[in-house]
Amino acid sequence: MSRRIILAAVLAVSAGLCGQAIAQEKSIVVSSTTSTTDSGLFNHLLPIFKAKTGIEAKVVSQGTGQALDTGRRGDADVVFVHAKGQEEKFVAEGAGVKRFPVMYNDFVLIGPKSDPARVKGSKDIVGALKAIKGKSAAFISRGDKSGTHSAELNLWKQAGIDIAADKGPWYKEIGQGMGAALNTASASNSYVLSDRATWLHFKNRGELDIVVEGDNKLFNQYGVILVNPEKHKHVKKDLGQAFIDWLISPEGQKAIANYKINGQSLFFPNATAQGV
Amino acid sequence: MSEGANAFDLIFSGEAKLYSIVALSLYVSVCAVALAAFVGFPLGAFLALSRFPGRSVLVVTMNAFMGLPPVVVGLVVFLLLSRSGPLGHWGILFTPRAMIIAQALLVLPIIVALSRQTIEDLWEEYRDELNAMRVGPVRCVVTLLWDGRFSLMTTLLAGFGRASAEVGTVILVGGNIDGFTRTMTTAIALETSKGDLPLAMGLGVVLITIVLAINAMAWGVRRVGELRAG
Amino acid sequence: MHAGMSDLPIHIDQASVRAGDVTILDGVSLAIAPGKPTILVGPNGSGKSTLIRLCMGLIEASSGRITWGGRNNQGERCAMVFQRPVMLRRTAAANIDFVLASGSRSARDERIAQLLKQVGLERLRDRPARRLSGGEQQRLALARALALNPDVLFLDEPTASLDPAATKAVEDIIRSTSDAGIKIVMATHDLGQARRLAGDIAFLVRGKLTEYSTSEAFFTSPATPQAAAFLRGDLVL
């Protein structure tokens, strides 16, 4: 008797397994960066977008490099990232249709309040990095090919430092997301480059604070790209394009501007209608 | 999950989001274990009762695969299910079904290896009696599985424990999509990366509590069952 | 089951069983025909259990041959009770139901009730089999074996681990089973039991069938010195 009950349970579960994914709804997969998710931006934007269009955007958040790869393989309909050079390459090789700038925020250099490299209050990121290198002050790098990592490598280059060759034990690449990098910096009182949005949303700050901000070199542009439906036939190009169109529309831009933590805006809309 | 919220507020205020995360975690793990058991128990019993060339290789492999690194399983399933992979046309990457498949693969060796051991020990005891009753091979397997049901339940729990505790595969093939493929473990990973350690810890306590409750329930069922069946 | 095709007589012809260098059965020839119980006696290690397993088809002969009712294939209407029978993890009734091949639920229930009554366990019908005492388990094993409707019932030291009262209960069932026309083949080292139950006695020493005769002849005038020594309790190996 109880054998039949178990059999019935097994069958029920198997049936559930098969039936589960049949319910199709209007949805797209967006591969995006950790900063847009960890900062809470998508939690703010997506409900507004869904209310307007009925489209559910499912966000997979990865580093920019990985997010672009996900698009390249056809596992996402839209990519929403921040590394202009990589994005342009993505479009140039035909993986994406067209890149639309959406918004920007900025990077900030985070460091311990004790400030061993004596850079606090400076607006010169290049000088700050030189000072950190000079003092061999502890520095955490994402090391994960993300947009933030690309930006960091670019800044070292501008400081005239070949970080791949010159890094010492003070420079640690952790190969993880922004949050993990901040956690590591917090636990080891190190300097770390972060996007402002993730930093504002980050709770486990410990002794960390912003030490350098406001340099033009710290500008961080986000772009959104539809994955090329000619390469991947299943890409939901209408729904994906609807998402992009909404992001760069006055309404979407306003929604981005309205996302604030403690009265501070995290992202600044700057879409140009025609795209690049 | 705004500032100041913690897992307990989330539970006691009945926040739907936490429930849906817990429900998805249980759904995925239970389905994965059921799927693995459906394949694994007969396979374990087959390995226990049969003798063929290469059997010991298979047995050792299954024993070793009990410790299969979740990330590797995740990566393999990811590459298979990716749109550019051989099973890409299924279109199930970043869905709960992909997570179920990945976890089932992770759990399968545990079910096969442990059930093979259980059934083999039981077969040692039952072989002459069942042969004397002229019971055919298929019925032998069914009988051994049924009479070993209490030990096999522990095997299921071991599988469930591995599935529900694991984060590497589900984050890779599920994508940790809010409200769709976010489980307890991936939510904990996410809150940790947001630096909200108290919330992450709170979710961890919730997860441990659920796993404890399920094990306590299974233990109770086993006790009652053993009293009734001897 | 082949209704109408009896497994009897069982002919064992020059059967030997070897495990590595050890010879367990050595050229045994024996015919098991319908009639009174055949009791296998002999000291420990004489090959009684092996001979029974051979007759049941649980092991194969290393040489020689064995036929059931003139056929070469393993007997279909043989049943066996072991010294320590394995109780399936379910109720007493379900243990019997396990071997009942077919029939409606009510017909099977009726047969179960009848078999349980036959072995005096009708009150323990719904008790988990593994929670029964040793004697009760042995009687349930008998009922379970009888449920197969055998022509021949093999018993391997069925009372070796039982107390006298339980032994008597088991012997009573064996006697009534034999009276009902089912051939009994039983191994025992209890000479009193052999004397109480036997029609014929097969006496084994070191894997050899040393003496085969009626019970009366065996106990009153054993033909071999080993049998005489065994009966005196003097057989030293």
Side-chain angles (χ1 to χ4, degrees):
Chain A
M1 177 194 65
S2 35
R3 226 183 312 189
R4 284 198 198 122
I5 294 173
I6 289 176
L7 192 66
V10 168
L11 288 177
V13 168
S14 326
L17 200 61
C18 303
Q20 198 271 329
I22 290 171
Q24 278 285 354
E25 51 179 20
K26 275 188 359 178
S27 71
I28 53 170
V29 173
V30 178
S31 77
S32 186
T33 66
T34 51
S35 55
T36 43
T37 301
D38 288 2
S39 64
L41 175 67
F42 277 128
N43 281 346
H44 168 75
L45 286 184
L46 297 182
I48 305 174
F49 174 63
K50 183 165 185 190
K52 166 93 179 166
T53 61
I55 300 170
E56 170 122 32
K58 294 171 179 161
V59 178
V60 180
S61 61
Q62 301 160 327
T64 290
Q66 207 191 340
L68 286 168
D69 274 343
T70 300
R72 239 175 228 121
R73 270 193 311 271
D75 292 326
D77 302 301
V78 173
V79 294
F80 188 172
V81 294
H82 62 104
K84 198 174 172 192
Q86 291 185 47
E87 291 164 48
E88 283 167 346
K89 186 164 163 259
F90 183 78
V91 174
E93 71 196 19
V97 176
K98 200 172 188 186
R99 174 178 177 273
F100 296 86
V102 177
M103 62 188 189
Y104 69 93
N105 71 349
D106 61 343
F107 293 114
V108 287
L109 185 67
I110 306 294
K113 286 178 182 141
S114 59
D115 192 23
R118 309 240 161 272
V119 294
K120 193 170 169 81
S122 147
K123 286 199 167 188
D124 173 13
I125 184 66
V126 165
L129 289 182
K130 281 178 180 157
I132 288 170
K133 164 82 169 59
K135 293 251 170 40
S136 290
F139 187 95
I140 301 295
S141 167
R142 291 275 294 274
D144 63 350
K145 287 191 175 172
S146 59
T148 308
H149 186 217
S150 310
E152 180 214 311
L153 294 179
N154 203 11
L155 290 170
W156 286 112
K157 203 188 276 174
Q158 292 183 48
I161 296 165
D162 181 358
I163 195 67
D166 287 353
K167 67 185 172 196
W170 56 274
Y171 182 88
K172 295 191 179 67
E173 293 168 284
I174 63 165
Q176 296 185 68
M178 196 65 254
L182 286 169
N183 272 329
T184 310
S186 168
S188 59
N189 277 336
S190 307
Y191 291 94
V192 60
L193 188 72
S194 170
D195 64 284
R196 186 186 294 272
T198 306
W199 166 253
L200 284 176
H201 209 66
F202 186 73
K203 297 210 170 73
N204 181 34
R205 292 181 180 180
E207 286 298 303
L208 297 184
D209 206 348
I210 293 179
V211 290
V212 177
E213 60 183 329
D215 191 325
N216 277 339
K217 296 193 174 74
L218 292 170
F219 177 81
N220 180 27
Q221 178 68 46
Y222 285 79
V224 62
I225 308 170
L226 182 69
V227 174
N228 194 346
E230 281 169 25
K231 276 213 164 166
H232 299 286
K233 293 218 162 24
H234 57 271
V235 166
K236 296 170 182 160
K237 78 174 170 203
D238 296 338
L239 300 182
Q241 192 60 48
F243 180 60
I244 294 172
D245 291 346
W246 181 79
L247 279 176
I248 61 178
S249 72
E251 193 191 336
Q253 294 277 294
K254 197 170 147 224
I256 291 169
N258 281 344
Y259 182 53
K260 292 176 181 170
I261 291 178
N262 301 330
Q264 234 182 319
S265 282
L266 271 68
F267 296 94
F268 305 92
N270 67 344
T272 50
Q274 72 279 12
V276 182
Chain B
M1 304 195 185
S2 58
E3 267 166 294
N6 66 45
F8 299 102
D9 292 343
L10 286 178
I11 305 166
F12 294 118
S13 66
E15 173 128 351
K17 200 168 198 172
L18 181 67
Y19 284 131
S20 75
I21 290 176
V22 170
L24 179 73
S25 297
L26 289 179
Y27 171 75
V28 168
S29 297
V30 166
C31 284
V33 171
L35 193 65
F38 196 70
V39 178
F41 280 152
L43 195 58
F46 171 77
L47 272 181
L49 301 196
S50 59
R51 296 291 179 269
F52 54 90
R55 174 184 176 272
S56 29
V57 175
L58 212 56
V59 168
V60 170
T61 308
M62 282 299 161
N63 287 345
F65 277 10
M66 287 200 283
L68 220 52
V71 172
V72 176
V73 173
L75 192 59
V76 169
V77 175
F78 178 87
L79 291 174
L80 284 175
L81 294 181
S82 169
R83 288 287 184 176
S84 307
L87 302 176
H89 57 278
W90 289 6
I92 62 169
L93 190 67
F94 302 142
T95 68
R97 292 175 102 189
M99 297 154 79
I100 290 170
I101 291 172
Q103 285 200 345
L105 282 179
L106 203 60
V107 169
L108 185 67
I110 294 184
I111 304 253
V112 172
L114 295 184
S115 64
R116 180 203 57 82
Q117 191 63 60
T118 302
I119 297 298
E120 204 167 312
D121 292 348
L122 208 56
W123 179 231
E124 203 59 31
E125 188 189 341
Y126 278 43
R127 183 195 341 232
D128 279 347
E129 191 81 61
L130 291 178
N131 280 342
M133 292 185 213
R134 308 294 191 236
V135 175
V138 173
R139 190 145 185 245
C140 275
V141 167
V142 173
T143 305
L144 292 170
L145 286 174
W146 180 244
D147 272 37
R149 60 195 179 274
F150 300 120
S151 309
L152 294 177
M153 202 156 100
T154 309
T155 302
L156 285 183
L157 285 179
F160 178 79
R162 175 131 160 112
S164 62
E166 154 321 297
V167 61
T169 59
V170 287
I171 213 161
L172 256 169
V173 305
N176 194 18
I177 297 169
D178 190 17
F180 187 56
T181 57
R182 183 160 300 162
T183 64
M184 294 295 290
T185 52
T186 59
I188 291 169
L190 179 67
E191 293 308 330
T192 305
S193 82
K194 282 166 142 179
D196 197 341
L197 304 189
L199 179 53
M201 196 60 223
L203 288 168
V205 172
V206 172
L207 177 60
I208 290 168
T209 308
I210 290 169
V211 169
L212 258 176
I214 286 173
N215 276 273
M217 241 162 60
W219 189 80
V221 168
R222 180 177 176 155
R223 286 288 300 173
V224 172
E226 278 182 333
L227 274 178
R228 286 184 48 216
Chain C
M1 306 247 171
H2 308 278
M5 285 234 269
S6 175
D7 278 349
L8 291 175
I10 299 173
H11 278 288
I12 303 136
D13 186 17
Q14 287 297 316
S16 295
V17 174
R18 284 178 286 271
D21 294 340
V22 185
T23 301
I24 303 166
L25 273 188
D26 190 358
V28 171
S29 295
L30 182 69
I32 294 169
K36 294 201 158 233
T38 297
I39 309 291
L40 313 179
V41 296
N44 289 333
S46 58
K48 303 187 293 287
S49 291
T50 305
L51 181 54
I52 283 187
R53 275 158 203 273
L54 188 67
C55 292
M56 273 301 289
L58 297 180
I59 52 175
E60 286 187 8
S62 313
S63 62
R65 58 182 244 134
I66 174 163
T67 56
W68 290 266
R71 297 180 304 277
N72 276 323
N73 44 342
Q74 182 193 55
E76 288 289 336
R77 304 197 50 162
C78 300
M80 176 163 181
V81 172
F82 294 84
Q83 182 179 345
R84 286 201 179 75
V86 174
M87 293 291 117
L88 301 177
R89 210 179 268 278
R90 49 195 94 191
T91 63
N95 261 274
I96 297 176
D97 196 40
F98 182 77
V99 297
L100 290 177
S102 57
S104 67
R105 181 73 264 164
S106 61
R108 297 210 314 258
D109 281 342
E110 202 174 310
R111 179 91 173 107
I112 290 167
Q114 178 223 328
L115 284 162
L116 284 173
K117 185 153 185 288
Q118 195 176 338
V119 298
L121 292 176
E122 59 270 42
R123 282 179 309 105
L124 302 178
R125 187 195 148 87
D126 295 319
R127 188 76 67 84
R130 295 195 170 209
R131 300 216 178 272
L132 300 176
S133 72
E136 287 161 351
Q137 289 197 6
Q138 200 60 262
R139 281 187 280 156
L140 181 58
L142 277 162
R144 192 170 63 184
L146 292 172
L148 288 164
N149 276 326
D151 294 334
V152 51
L153 176 60
F154 292 95
L155 303 156
D156 188 5
E157 312 241 13
T159 61
S161 34
L162 301 186
D163 65 28
T167 300
K168 165 132 191 347
V170 169
E171 282 183 15
D172 287 347
I173 296 165
I174 293 170
R175 208 171 281 118
S176 67
T177 303
S178 179
D179 290 347
I182 295 170
K183 174 70 182 183
I184 300 286
V185 179
M186 178 167 99
T188 183
H189 56 242
D190 177 346
L191 287 173
Q193 185 170 57
R195 204 192 292 262
R196 286 192 294 278
L197 294 174
D200 321 315
I201 297 281
F203 176 61
L204 287 118
V205 181
R206 285 187 182 139
K208 282 198 163 76
L209 181 61
T210 308
E211 192 162 336
Y212 181 61
S213 57
T214 64
S215 171
E216 201 188 324
F218 181 77
F219 284 107
T220 53
S221 52
T224 58
Q226 287 109 316
F230 181 67
L231 289 173
R232 287 197 307 274
D234 286 351
L235 186 65
V236 179
L237 295 168

